[in-house]
Amino acid sequence: MNALRKYLNQIKPNFEEGGKLHALRSVFDGFETFLFVPNSTAKSGAHIHDAIDSKRIMSMVVIALMPAMLFGMYNVGYQNYLAAGTLASASFFEIFVYGFLAVLPKILVSYIVGLGIEFIWAQWKGEEIQEGYLVSGIIIPLIIPIGCPLWMLALACAFSVIFCKEIFGGTGMNIFNPAIAARMFLFFSYPSKMTGDTIWVAQNSIFGLGNDLPDGFTAATPLGEIAQGITPDASMLDMALGFIPGSIGETSLIAIAIGAVILLWTGIASWRTMLSVFVGGALMSFIFHETGTSPMTTVQHFVTGGFCFGAVFMATDPVTSARTETGKYFYGFIIGALAIIIRVMNPGYPEGMMLAIFFGNMVAPLIDHCVVARNISKRMKRGGTK
């Protein structure tokens, strides 16, 4: 690392004011601060100083997403071989490599388009390259079906970065979670590629691996089957482990739980938000189940769809969630409860986490305002001020 640091110091003057590569200053700064913690600090104003910067935080979230991503790759291959009836003769390596080759282009497109726009925007504005897309770039491919075309994904990433991030001022200024915005763009613009029974299983072989499935092959998610009153073929264990059709990174409760432990252990995600999402979801699903409104139990809601993934990786986004400690309880509870309400009350849309988090992002500032106003009022009363 010392050799790399010396090399960067040698070429850095070329990217500074007056250097021959000054036009690429933002690009160089982005790579340098990604590799090494900046040694500069704020010179004025009130700032909170910490040993970890935002790039390190984003990198830790990416690490927490790795179990869900790796299992998602394996499950993509698993579902293809299972659908073709060749699972018994396939090795673990063949299954994983097939899934890896199927998912990798989506991750590459997400980062190339999203970071490309970030780089261009930074150069145009003469600002530093912001790091927020490090996380969004990997979340977006994980919350879409494997059957989503790459060009649609590229459009969604561009929409997310430009209209839900940069126009608000960049990282830390956006109102809505960029990954949620990308998924909503796809869902409302191309619903046939985001819902239905034909998009959850990869249907073509890749470099001689996997299988070409017959035309018209379908495979519904357990959540979709339950919503239609159909008993799913998958067992509860398969649902918890993640061996079911679904969005790439959302199927495995175990992989998501590992990511949750990493985020909570490092203090990056708020346990208040995460816990209250599950409390809100559990309470609402219990009410619906006990009143006979929905056949789904609380456990079924949690092990199917994107409920757990959303609760762990998107509801806890520190930028778009509530920031007051008390407000986090209300914010998370609203998301969890609303996700179940949407699932149960709208049979045509069995998943509800996306819209629930979007609505939570919308009301988060109001929640914080009410909490702060209440605290001010209580302090004024204690001080005898009217």
Side-chain angles (χ1 to χ4, degrees):
M1 295 300 290
N2 289 334
L4 179 59
R5 178 70 270 175
K6 290 180 180 179
Y7 176 73
L8 291 176
N9 289 337
Q10 289 175 359
I11 65 174
K12 189 172 183 176
N14 295 322
F15 297 91
E16 294 177 343
E17 189 71 34
K20 59 182 180 181
L21 298 176
H22 170 68
L24 299 176
R25 179 184 61 82
S26 296
V27 177
F28 177 82
D29 180 77
F31 281 112
E32 182 187 28
T33 55
F34 177 78
L35 294 170
F36 296 96
V37 176
N39 57 9
S40 58
T41 58
K43 302 299 182 182
S44 62
H47 298 271
I48 297 175
H49 294 264
D50 202 310
I52 185 170
D53 67 355
S54 54
K55 281 187 174 65
R56 261 21 78 172
I57 292 176
M58 297 298 174
S59 299
M60 188 59 65
V61 178
V62 170
I63 292 172
L65 284 161
M66 287 295 106
M69 184 193 73
L70 293 174
F71 182 86
M73 290 176 173
Y74 179 80
N75 189 49
V76 167
Y78 180 91
Q79 295 301 324
N80 176 270
Y81 281 93
L82 178 65
T86 58
L87 183 62
S89 60
S91 67
F92 174 90
F93 180 79
E94 289 175 325
I95 294 172
F96 178 80
V97 171
Y98 174 82
F100 174 82
L101 293 174
V103 175
L104 182 61
K106 289 179 167 48
I107 296 176
L108 292 177
V109 166
S110 175
Y111 274 120
I112 290 171
V113 174
L115 288 180
I117 294 174
E118 293 263 20
F119 279 31
I120 294 171
W121 198 283
Q123 290 295 130
W124 175 46
K125 301 286 287 186
E127 300 172 348
E128 295 181 357
I129 294 172
Q130 298 171 347
E131 61 280 345
Y133 199 77
L134 288 175
V135 172
S136 299
I138 193 170
I139 288 182
I140 293 173
L142 297 184
I143 60 175
I144 63 172
I146 190 62
C148 178
L150 295 179
W151 67 269
M152 288 185 187
L153 176 60
L155 286 179
C157 293
F159 172 85
S160 172
V161 173
I162 295 173
F163 293 101
C164 294
K165 204 173 150 215
E166 296 301 346
I167 64 170
F168 288 103
T171 300
M173 304 294 183
N174 49 295
I175 300 174
F176 301 108
N177 185 296
I180 289 294
R183 197 179 194 284
M184 290 187 67
F185 174 86
L186 288 170
F187 179 81
F188 291 112
S189 300
Y190 308 101
S192 64
K193 294 298 183 181
M194 294 298 291
T195 59
D197 299 341
T198 63
I199 58 174
W200 307 107
V201 176
Q203 303 197 17
N204 300 106
S205 59
I206 304 175
F207 299 135
L209 293 171
N211 307 271
D212 288 320
L213 302 184
D215 293 338
F217 172 81
T218 62
T221 64
L223 180 61
E225 291 176 330
I226 296 173
Q228 297 173 19
I230 302 172
T231 302
D233 294 330
S235 66
M236 191 64 68
L237 180 60
D238 284 339
M239 294 181 193
L241 294 177
F243 295 108
I244 54 175
S247 294
I248 295 170
E250 295 181 349
T251 63
S252 175
L253 183 62
I254 306 301
I256 294 170
I258 294 172
V261 170
I262 294 174
L263 294 180
L264 295 175
W265 179 61
T266 55
I268 291 175
S270 169
W271 66 265
R272 293 174 177 84
T273 301
M274 203 179 295
L275 175 63
S276 55
V277 172
F278 285 103
V279 171
L283 178 61
M284 194 56 60
S285 61
F286 175 79
I287 292 173
F288 280 133
H289 184 69
E290 290 300 309
T291 57
T293 308
S294 171
M296 291 187 68
T297 64
T298 299
V299 175
Q300 287 177 320
H301 276 293
F302 286 176
V303 300
T304 57
F307 189 94
C308 288
F309 189 93
V312 172
F313 295 111
M314 291 188 284
T316 56
D317 174 18
V319 174
T320 57
S321 66
R323 303 191 183 190
T324 57
E325 296 304 310
T326 301
K328 290 174 182 177
Y329 290 113
F330 292 98
Y331 169 79
F333 186 89
I334 288 172
I335 289 176
L338 186 59
I340 303 303
I341 291 173
I342 295 173
R343 284 184 174 186
V344 174
M345 304 306 292
N346 186 358
Y349 182 52
E351 181 57 85
M353 203 59 179
M354 174 186 69
L355 291 178
I357 295 175
F358 185 83
F359 180 79
N361 293 165
M362 195 187 315
V363 301
L366 177 61
I367 293 173
D368 284 337
H369 171 77
C370 293
V371 171
V372 172
R374 181 176 179 273
N375 289 341
I376 292 174
S377 177
K378 289 175 64 177
R379 291 184 180 184
M380 291 178 68
K381 288 180 179 179
R382 285 200 299 267
T385 305
K386 296 183 180 180

